[in-house]
Amino acid sequence: MASSPHPYIANTDEDRRRMLDAVGVASSDELFADIPLEFRIGGLDLPSALSELELTREMADLAHKNVVAANGTASFLGAGAYRHFIPSTVAHVVSRGEYATAYTPYQPEISQGTLQTMFELQSLTCELTGMDVANAGMYDGASALAEACLMTCRITGRERIAVHSGVNPDWIEVVRTYAFGPGLAVDVVGDTGATDQHACLAVQQPAFLGGLEDVWSLGEAARAAGALYVAAVDPISLGMLTPPGGYGADIAVAEGQSLGWPVNYGGPYIGLFTCKSDYVRQMPGRIVGRTMDLDGRTGYVLTLQTREQHIRRERATSNICTSQQLVGLAATVYLATVGKHGLRTIAETCYHKARYAAAQIDALAGYSVDLSKPAFKEFVVGCPKPPAEINERLLERDIIGGLDVSHLVEAGMLVCVTEMNTREDIDRFCDALAEAGR
Amino acid sequence: MTMTDEYVSLDPQSDPSPAGVGGKLTFDRSSSGRKGVVLPALDVPESPLPDERFLRDDLRLPEMAQNEIIRYFVGLSRLNYSVDTGFYPLGSCTMKYNPKVNEDVAGLPGFAAVHPQQPATTVQGALELLYELQTWLCTITGMDAAGLAPAAGAQGELSGILMIKAYHQGRGDSARRKVLVPESAHGTNPATAAMAGFDVVSVPCDADGNADSGFLAENIDETVAGMMYTLPSTLGLFDREVGRIAEMLHANGALLYGDGANQNAFLSRARFGDMGFDVVHLNLHKTFSTPHGGGGPGSGPVCVKSHLAPYLPAPVVSSEGSGFSLTRPPKSIGKTMAFHGNFGVLVRALTYMKSLGGDGLRHVSENAVINANYVQARLKSAYKLAVDRPCMHEVVLSGSLQKKRGAKTLDIAKRLIDYGFHPPTIYFPLIVDEAMMIEPTETESIEALDAFCDAMLAIDRECTETPEIVKSAPTSAPLRRLDEATAARKPVLRWQPSA
Amino acid sequence: MVSPSELKYTKDHEWVRVEGDTGTIGITDYAQDQLGDIVFVELPAAGTAIAAAEKFGEIESVKAVSELFAPVSGEVTEANDSLADSPESVNDDPYGDGWMVKVRFSDAAELDGLMSADEYEAFIEAESA
């Protein structure tokens, strides 16, 4: 009886026989004749195939070995990846095969779904950030920041990058990785640190440790040095906070994961990337533009492609060729769903809950929070014991504590509170902290 | 409602179909007061807001009801061609079937809800999965170590070339300023080498798309850091000289970088490591079936020989005694993303590999290659072959014969849309006139291939009999050909409220 | 395609219209036809020095980028700023509105090395054969 080797391979032995006859070879081995004999192998030392049932069991067993914030376990972890509510609309749209199993929209006549949603995301990102233009997305916020810094070097011709000390240290490291190739210097600077050697000053609002920066005077410092001003922002915070377009940023980037996408152990995410319109031709990444078809109907196409690697090769603005489209689609559906008022509500909820939690924790014996500094949804807690030790105790009570930042702030724990944390969670967290601190 | 609102609703751009082609965006569909979801009421006391200058005034986002949102995005989805809806023979992109079980597994809360900053003790399942994937990839490529951090093929390339740079610098050798890139390579290769600060030396190719060995013999010296080599070549051929190229580079202290984007062609048949490659990147969204998502997310792990392992991008997963942990290789080029790579994509790829097992992976390459050769056999009477010999996973045709009859490759591609197929990759590789690059993949049946070949042969006849029909295609797609020149000349890159 | 007889031409498909010690530079009708729809032209600002046979700008079609090479050395006295808004002039009127820069020659003798219209037409015929 004819048989196919696997459900993912359609052709049976008999089909293969017919095809090999048509090709005019006796066996498929002849088709691999170009591989030099000394390199040919007879197979790989790997486990055997699993049935779908065995496979899902095995993978579910691995999944069960992880502790996650669900089923009664609360989490106060943020530090670059955030748990926010994801409306039901998002997953249902994103899981559609028409979106998920399409390629980059090189054939616009049959890719308007992808293209129009990319144009939506560019538009939404511009509205959110108050910037002129946006691309369709980068790998994540950190690599978007790195590409932004490289872009300022192309624009200014300068070869030093200044990154403000308030920026996420992991993001600074990614900037360094990207700067290593072209031999650019990266300086981590304080509030007045940009000089006329620097292509840019990159800041983060809110800062990695949660506080709101004086982004106006930082922007003035950048301009005084003739450097471009790059801002990295939390898109949820833009539901209430002044956007980077409001404080003179030349380029603004953001980690877009918060907009309708699970934390996913760190990826895939999406970097949102915007700039002033003067710099659009130096922007990396995919860009969609509006145009018309032969019959005068509105449609969308990939545009300004001469910036990109497939045309400009070694003179391209970047080698990137993905826009994290599916994650971008989630952000688009998310923003359409929560809408104008919803995003403000979510931002304000995060703010008030974080302030509430900060005040409660500050009142605990041995703990302290600087309540005088304006913040958004994260703040540093000074702990009476090493934060790692406290976190172990919290885990015993089904609480994933904040990030241990004791290498940055003495006995510091970076706590994040979002709309996902109920008052009950916060109160339980405070009780557990009190007990663990004793 | 004001007069202005009424005028907007009569705008000729208002949607002519429920799908919304050329129609209104979410912003235009917005109606003040509608909502897509209800959020919980605040359950803590309000605190004073920060100083006013920190607060924004207006935020212009859409307001839509939930069913409007769903109809809009579902309607748009129907304007897309996808693997789930049809045959997608896009050369070098490997548009194979994307198994659904991969999606289910990646969506398990035990994976999707894991926070990247959690302590290692709470993420042992995730780390074990990553460690296992590193092991599978090393076995498949014949390399010694793997790093899963790169977010995409292009970032894998960048990581690989930066490792080569760091390796030479680590030996105190800073004179190597050049990277050799064959002219048949994907654009990412030269762009990557330039991003890494190298001078790109373009290597001429022979008619098979293989690097010109005479040029290599003359140009490989102590100023060359390495060479980027795509295997199989973009002409779909396996370079028989690859071992000798590796020897030439190594004899001069240079390294060989493998672009393994199309490892699917020789899975379980040959290994990069055995051929002398020092570093290779893989595209999990091609060979290992994770969905392309309309342009991401992908994943581009790098696999290396032991001499490059200390330079791998951070972090990698180690296994020590009782458990797994994220570690930083001693001379790491650093992080390429904020966290540990595109975990959700890595979960899908390992799920796929385990479904196939070692034997299944060998069937993948066998069927991918048979399918490509079958398409070649059926089409070579009508279309000129770039190279007339057995191909690997893809076949490159030239539309030069048809062009003489009046319809060029672009027209043939657009006409395929009318026949219900996604066009192949066109005008690449650059070294073939009027190129059409067809990659059927192993997942397609003989019936699907026959239907496609029948369409290609019918279009060939149309090029003689009714070339005007070919040149005006497509006519059955949601839109006809679009004006890309105007899009680039007068860029409209975002929604703006009507004046 | 007729190449205006009063212009001088290069093998890189640029033309020069000589007006005393200055000249106007553009690309030929043949070049614009080969490039297809021009979407962007990057030109040097007035005051920039350019050198014969060296790159002085870039011209982009939808899916290609080409370098512009100076036919002669000199200083740019004016760039055609209207191309920023209407790059299609290069397609529609390559010898008129589609001009790119005006230069003051630094070595007028360089002009002697350029081709006449007849020579240029013979050159493109040979090149496309």
Side-chain angles (χ1 to χ4, degrees):
Chain A
M1 202 178 83
S3 161
S4 86
H6 191 276
Y8 305 160
I9 297 170
N11 289 328
T12 63
D13 307 337
E14 205 151 295
D15 297 326
R16 264 183 296 284
R17 185 71 266 144
R18 278 168 57 205
M19 296 169 82
L20 290 172
D21 286 347
V23 173
V25 295
S27 99
S28 62
D29 288 344
E30 290 180 43
L31 301 176
F32 291 94
D34 277 351
I35 302 178
L37 267 178
E38 70 264 36
F39 299 139
R40 280 187 224 169
I41 57 170
L44 293 169
D45 182 18
L46 288 169
S48 304
L50 296 178
S51 69
E52 188 165 310
L53 180 59
E54 293 165 312
L55 179 66
T56 47
R57 273 190 195 140
E58 191 169 310
M59 298 309 282
D61 285 347
L62 281 175
H64 284 138
K65 291 184 189 173
N66 300 317
V67 177
V68 294
N71 304 324
T73 297
S75 170
F76 293 88
L77 256 188
Y82 301 100
R83 290 191 318 126
H84 285 284
F85 170 66
I86 302 174
S88 56
T89 51
V90 176
H92 285 273
V93 171
V94 168
S95 63
R96 286 186 71 89
E98 294 92 331
Y99 287 123
T101 72
Y103 195 72
T104 299
Y106 285 133
Q107 300 288 343
E109 299 88 346
I110 47 172
S111 308
Q112 286 299 305
T114 297
L115 286 161
Q116 189 163 326
T117 56
M118 291 167 87
F119 189 83
E120 287 272 13
L121 179 66
Q122 289 172 193
S123 304
L124 290 160
T125 303
C126 288
E127 295 297 336
L128 207 51
T129 55
M131 301 293 288
D132 296 337
V133 289
N135 72 14
M138 309 294 287
Y139 302 132
D140 72 345
S143 64
L145 179 66
E147 289 268 21
C149 292
L150 297 193
M151 179 171 152
T152 64
C153 292
R154 289 196 294 277
I155 293 169
T156 62
R158 296 179 181 180
E159 295 183 338
R160 296 192 85 85
I161 293 163
V163 184
H164 188 248
S165 54
V167 175
N168 182 330
D170 288 329
W171 290 33
I172 297 176
E173 184 178 338
V174 177
V175 174
R176 288 190 193 283
T177 304
Y178 273 75
F180 166 59
L184 305 167
V186 179
D187 300 313
V188 177
V189 302
D191 288 349
T192 54
T195 72
D196 62 7
Q197 303 287 301
H198 289 120
C200 67
L201 173 64
V203 305
Q204 187 175 340
Q205 178 78 324
F208 176 65
L209 295 177
L212 297 186
E213 304 277 18
D214 181 353
V215 283
W216 293 269
S217 62
L218 285 166
E220 273 162 35
R223 264 184 299 282
L228 294 175
Y229 191 33
V230 179
V233 295
D234 171 352
I236 295 287
S237 76
L238 299 181
M240 65 183 280
L241 297 184
T242 304
Y247 46 86
D250 296 293
I251 302 175
V253 299
E255 173 49 69
Q257 170 269 322
S258 296
L259 306 174
W261 197 253
V263 286
N264 257 325
Y265 199 44
Y269 290 173
I270 182 173
L272 304 180
F273 195 108
T274 65
C275 67
K276 288 186 173 164
S277 50
D278 286 352
Y279 305 129
V280 67
R281 285 177 186 277
Q282 286 297 337
M283 204 159 45
R286 303 290 192 197
I287 301 176
V288 172
R290 173 181 255 169
T291 187
M292 283 193 286
D293 81 348
L294 283 171
D295 292 340
R297 291 176 294 185
T298 298
Y300 299 88
V301 292
L302 292 174
T303 194
L304 304 179
Q305 293 189 67
T306 48
R307 301 164 296 110
E308 295 187 63
Q309 50 77 28
H310 60 289
I311 293 173
R312 206 177 280 255
R313 298 177 78 86
E314 68 268 23
R315 293 180 299 127
T317 52
S318 168
N319 71 349
I320 195 168
C321 29
T322 171
S323 61
Q324 302 293 100
Q325 169 53 28
L326 211 58
V327 190
L329 177 63
T332 304
V333 179
Y334 175 85
L335 288 170
T337 304
V338 302
K340 177 188 176 87
H341 301 290
L343 195 70
R344 183 174 286 269
T345 303
I346 292 163
E348 289 179 354
T349 303
C350 291
Y351 173 79
H352 291 301
K353 290 194 177 219
R355 293 314 271 183
Y356 171 78
Q360 298 294 110
I361 294 169
D362 185 52
L364 300 174
Y367 291 89
S368 64
V369 180
D370 180 359
L371 296 171
S372 68
K373 192 167 171 60
F376 176 55
K377 67 186 180 192
E378 294 181 277
F379 53 89
V380 175
V381 174
C383 300
K385 289 181 183 169
E389 217 172 282
I390 290 180
N391 273 335
E392 279 178 35
R393 301 282 302 279
L394 294 177
L395 267 176
E396 291 163 12
R397 297 186 53 168
D398 294 332
I399 293 170
I400 300 169
L403 184 70
D404 179 355
V405 290
S406 51
H407 55 296
L408 300 173
V409 180
E410 196 186 344
M413 178 193 286
L414 179 61
V415 169
C416 174
V417 185
T418 73
E419 78 279 11
M420 300 296 279
N421 301 108
T422 62
R423 181 175 185 158
E424 198 188 337
D425 280 346
I426 297 168
D427 293 344
R428 196 161 71 80
F429 180 44
C430 292
D431 289 348
L433 280 175
E435 194 186 289
R438 268 181 221 124
Chain B
M1 181 179 271
T2 64
M3 286 302 290
T4 321
D5 286 333
E6 226 166 273
Y7 176 70
V8 169
S9 72
L10 294 171
D11 187 304
Q13 283 191 6
S14 65
D15 54 341
S17 71
V21 192
K24 297 186 287 185
L25 297 167
T26 52
F27 293 95
D28 306 309
R29 292 159 190 268
S30 174
S31 187
S32 183
R34 292 205 178 137
K35 54 171 82 73
V37 69
V38 171
L39 298 159
L42 192 63
D43 60 358
V44 298
E46 286 195 17
S47 299
L49 291 176
D51 191 272
E52 200 171 310
R53 66 180 183 149
F54 286 112
L55 304 178
R56 79 185 299 159
D57 300 325
D58 193 30
L59 173 58
R60 203 163 50 181
L61 290 181
E63 296 171 82
M64 292 169 76
Q66 205 171 89
N67 90 332
E68 294 177 300
I69 294 164
I70 289 297
R71 279 196 194 141
Y72 174 59
F73 287 106
V74 170
L76 282 179
S77 80
R78 294 166 65 188
L79 307 181
N80 266 5
Y81 195 96
S82 67
V83 172
D84 275 7
T85 52
F87 181 47
Y88 214 129
L90 198 60
S92 110
C93 299
T94 317
M95 299 302 285
K96 60 170 71 176
Y97 170 66
N98 306 132
K100 300 304 161 195
V101 67
N102 299 352
E103 303 303 308
D104 295 347
V105 169
L108 290 171
F111 292 135
V114 182
H115 192 287
Q117 300 276 25
Q118 282 182 219
T121 53
T122 65
V123 294
Q124 285 298 300
L127 293 173
E128 184 178 339
L129 184 153
L130 295 176
Y131 187 80
E132 205 175 345
L133 180 58
Q134 288 175 183
T135 309
W136 278 71
L137 294 179
C138 286
T139 303
I140 287 167
T141 57
M143 306 299 266
D144 300 321
L148 307 176
Q155 211 185 41
E157 285 182 28
L158 181 61
S159 302
I161 293 299
L162 290 178
M163 278 189 269
I164 290 176
K165 187 175 190 117
Y167 168 80
H168 288 307
Q169 284 187 3
R171 296 180 315 141
D173 183 349
S174 53
R176 296 180 184 271
R177 301 202 38 79
K178 296 184 205 158
V179 167
L180 307 182
V181 182
E183 60 184 12
S184 61
H186 293 111
T188 47
N189 284 186
T192 297
M195 266 184 106
F198 286 109
D199 298 331
V200 177
V201 178
S202 185
V203 180
C205 292
D206 62 23
D208 290 358
N210 295 330
D212 181 319
S213 52
F215 182 92
L216 290 180
E218 279 170 32
N219 284 276
I220 297 177
D221 57 26
E222 67 288 346
T223 65
V224 172
M227 174 165 169
M228 302 183 80
Y229 210 44
T230 302
L231 194 72
S233 75
T234 52
L235 280 176
L237 301 176
F238 197 101
D239 186 351
R240 302 176 211 204
E241 298 297 309
V242 62
R244 225 168 54 81
I245 291 173
E247 282 168 18
M248 282 165 69
L249 288 160
H250 291 158
N252 282 277
L255 302 184
L256 180 56
Y257 176 93
D259 183 328
N262 293 112
Q263 161 80 76
N264 50 314
F266 56 97
L267 269 177
S268 187
R269 306 266 156 188
R271 311 197 303 171
F272 282 100
D274 301 336
M275 294 180 258
F277 285 86
D278 299 283
V279 48
V280 59
H281 90 268
L282 301 171
N283 293 38
L284 300 186
H285 47 287
K286 294 182 180 178
T287 303
F288 299 106
S289 87
T290 72
H292 285 75
S299 176
V302 279
C303 303
V304 296
K305 290 285 178 56
S306 55
H307 53 280
L308 288 179
Y311 299 93
L312 279 169
V316 296
V317 181
S318 312
S319 164
E320 291 150 20
S322 59
F324 301 92
S325 59
L326 291 173
T327 55
R328 187 188 180 84
K331 298 173 182 171
S332 174
I333 57 159
K335 285 189 160 209
T336 56
M337 302 174 65
F339 298 112
H340 338 302
N342 282 346
F343 179 72
V345 180
L346 302 170
V347 172
R348 287 170 173 85
L350 185 64
T351 306
Y352 172 79
M353 292 180 201
K354 283 173 174 260
S355 172
L356 283 151
D359 291 344
L361 293 176
R362 196 171 165 88
H363 288 301
V364 166
S365 56
E366 179 183 25
N367 285 275
V369 170
I370 292 175
N371 280 4
N373 278 282
Y374 181 69
V375 170
Q376 172 169 311
R378 282 215 53 197
L379 296 183
K380 71 178 178 184
S381 61
Y383 292 88
K384 194 176 159 196
L385 294 177
V387 185
D388 190 1
R389 59 181 243 224
C391 59
M392 298 289 291
H393 63 298
E394 63 194 355
V395 54
V396 179
L397 308 177
S398 165
S400 55
L401 301 174
Q402 286 72 20
K403 189 182 183 185
K404 286 186 188 135
R405 287 184 261 141
K408 53 187 192 291
T409 282
L410 178 69
D411 303 317
I412 295 168
K414 297 299 185 193
R415 185 62 179 151
L416 272 169
I417 293 172
D418 284 333
Y419 279 88
F421 296 101
H422 195 284
T425 295
I426 54 174
Y427 299 108
F428 190 85
L430 306 173
I431 53 176
V432 176
D433 187 34
E434 297 290 313
M436 283 182 268
M437 195 187 207
I438 300 169
E439 181 179 10
T441 83
E442 76 282 0
T443 60
E444 297 298 330
S445 67
I446 184 171
E447 292 84 359
L449 302 182
D450 279 334
F452 172 76
C453 292
D454 290 346
M456 285 289 286
L457 296 173
I459 294 169
D460 169 62
R461 288 191 296 274
E462 289 177 342
C463 289
T464 305
E465 293 157 13
T466 50
E468 286 313 311
I469 291 182
V470 182
K471 283 156 78 173
S472 59
T475 51
S476 62
L479 290 180
R480 296 184 63 203
R481 291 191 203 183
L482 289 109
D483 182 354
E484 297 189 42
T486 301
R489 281 171 180 161
K490 314 250 177 336
V492 178
L493 308 179
R494 61 181 291 192
W495 172 86
Q496 297 276 15
S498 27
Chain C
M1 285 178 204
V2 177
S3 308
S5 59
E6 71 276 20
L7 307 182
K8 298 273 197 181
Y9 298 87
T10 72
K11 290 181 177 176
D12 297 314
H13 310 287
E14 279 90 17
W15 54 260
V16 190
R17 175 176 289 116
V18 181
E19 293 139 343
D21 62 347
T22 66
T24 304
I25 295 172
I27 67 165
T28 65
D29 196 24
Y30 174 81
Q32 71 77 19
D33 185 62
Q34 292 289 305
L35 291 167
D37 292 333
I38 304 301
V39 299
F40 185 70
V41 185
E42 187 181 298
L43 298 173
T48 309
I50 63 174
E54 304 221 333
K55 177 185 160 179
F56 74 92
E58 273 185 357
I59 185 161
E60 299 183 5
S61 60
V62 173
K63 285 175 183 163
V65 185
S66 306
E67 298 187 329
L68 295 167
F69 295 100
V72 289
S73 308
E75 184 189 315
V76 176
T77 57
E78 189 184 349
N80 185 356
D81 295 332
S82 74
L83 295 183
D85 285 329
S86 48
E88 59 272 23
S89 301
V90 178
N91 294 120
D92 300 342
D93 190 9
Y95 300 111
D97 290 347
W99 67 275
M100 292 177 183
V101 291
K102 294 185 194 289
V103 291
R104 176 168 294 110
F105 305 135
S106 56
D107 179 6
E110 285 172 355
L111 293 165
D112 301 336
L114 302 181
M115 287 182 278
S116 69
D118 288 345
E119 287 166 338
Y120 177 66
E121 287 187 8
F123 169 73
I124 54 177
E125 196 159 316
E127 198 179 51
S128 54

